[in-house]
Amino acid sequence: MVIDGRDETTRSGGSPPRSPSSASSSPRKTGIRDSPPQPRVAYDDRYLTCFIPAFDPHPDSILKLLARRDVRAATDQLKIMVDSYHDRRSGFEFAVNPAGVKRDYAIYNDSQEDDAWDAVWDVATQVDSLGWTAEFAIPLSQLRYVPRPTNTFGFAVWRDIQRYGERVSWPLYRNSQAGITSNWVS
């Protein structure tokens, strides 16, 4: 498996895909909300993979700031969140900025984050003329779950656009609503 931050079949040009199910959870200040992240998720017997294009009408304004792992730099980020027990109380967050700086957290009690948790996973990013992309590869061994013939995980995607103080999420995340994992989709 090659994790390079590219998905040639989906970024070959043309108009970016639209998604009526994505929404901005902060005030709409830009046209970026009209181009929400379109995650493409797959899994096999070893990995959960997710490719996210983050279209941006001004890719030259995307900041690529370096920081230490698990440090939130003042830059954009893409984050996938997984509730592998599907208990709507616990989960895992995997985030990356355009420079490829990784952050990960374990979530407990529906909203508490444990930043001391460090999983072994891979991600690659690319900034190009359409915006930026992130391609995640998370070994299933890093996600705690009960192996069954079929499993249902909770899932969410957040995109933060630092220069506008805007968050685009799927499903919609409301700061006024309690909890994090209890608001994800299955």
Side-chain angles (χ1 to χ4, degrees):
M1 173 180 355
V2 176
I3 303 300
D4 61 7
R6 299 177 191 271
D7 184 8
E8 299 305 323
T9 61
T10 59
R11 295 189 49 92
S12 57
S15 298
R18 305 285 187 215
S19 172
S21 61
S22 295
S24 178
S25 62
S26 58
R28 182 176 174 171
K29 300 176 185 175
T30 68
I32 293 177
R33 190 251 179 242
D34 293 333
S35 295
Q38 299 288 311
R40 289 150 181 88
V41 181
Y43 68 93
D44 60 21
D45 59 341
R46 295 183 57 212
Y47 291 94
L48 172 70
T49 58
C50 183
F51 176 82
I52 306 171
F55 296 101
D56 193 315
H58 305 287
D60 55 331
S61 298
I62 297 170
L63 295 175
K64 291 179 66 172
L65 299 179
L66 292 175
R68 291 186 182 270
R69 181 180 172 144
D70 290 332
V71 173
R72 174 75 158 100
T75 183
D76 292 11
Q77 76 169 352
L78 289 170
K79 181 188 299 189
I80 62 173
M81 297 171 282
V82 180
D83 174 3
S84 55
Y85 280 131
H86 199 246
D87 60 6
R88 299 190 178 275
R89 294 184 48 218
S90 62
F92 304 98
E93 299 178 35
F94 301 90
V96 67
N97 76 11
V101 177
K102 300 189 321 186
R103 296 173 51 233
D104 50 18
Y105 302 93
I107 302 172
Y108 61 96
N109 292 337
D110 194 19
S111 63
Q112 304 297 307
E113 296 174 322
D114 178 2
D115 63 358
W117 180 77
D118 285 319
V120 176
W121 55 288
D122 198 13
V123 67
T125 61
Q126 294 284 327
V127 177
D128 62 23
S129 64
L130 297 175
W132 70 288
T133 62
E135 185 179 16
F136 297 80
I138 302 163
L140 292 176
S141 64
Q142 301 301 295
L143 302 175
R144 296 180 185 107
Y145 67 99
V146 178
R148 296 185 177 116
T150 61
N151 285 84
T152 301
F153 291 178
F155 189 77
V157 177
W158 287 3
R159 176 185 179 192
D160 292 335
I161 304 107
Q162 180 71 27
R163 70 185 181 272
Y164 299 119
E166 189 171 62
R167 171 169 288 154
V168 180
S169 64
W170 179 84
L172 177 64
Y173 174 75
R174 293 178 179 89
N175 290 329
S176 61
Q177 190 171 348
I180 295 176
T181 56
S182 58
N183 293 300
W184 299 348
V185 296
S186 302

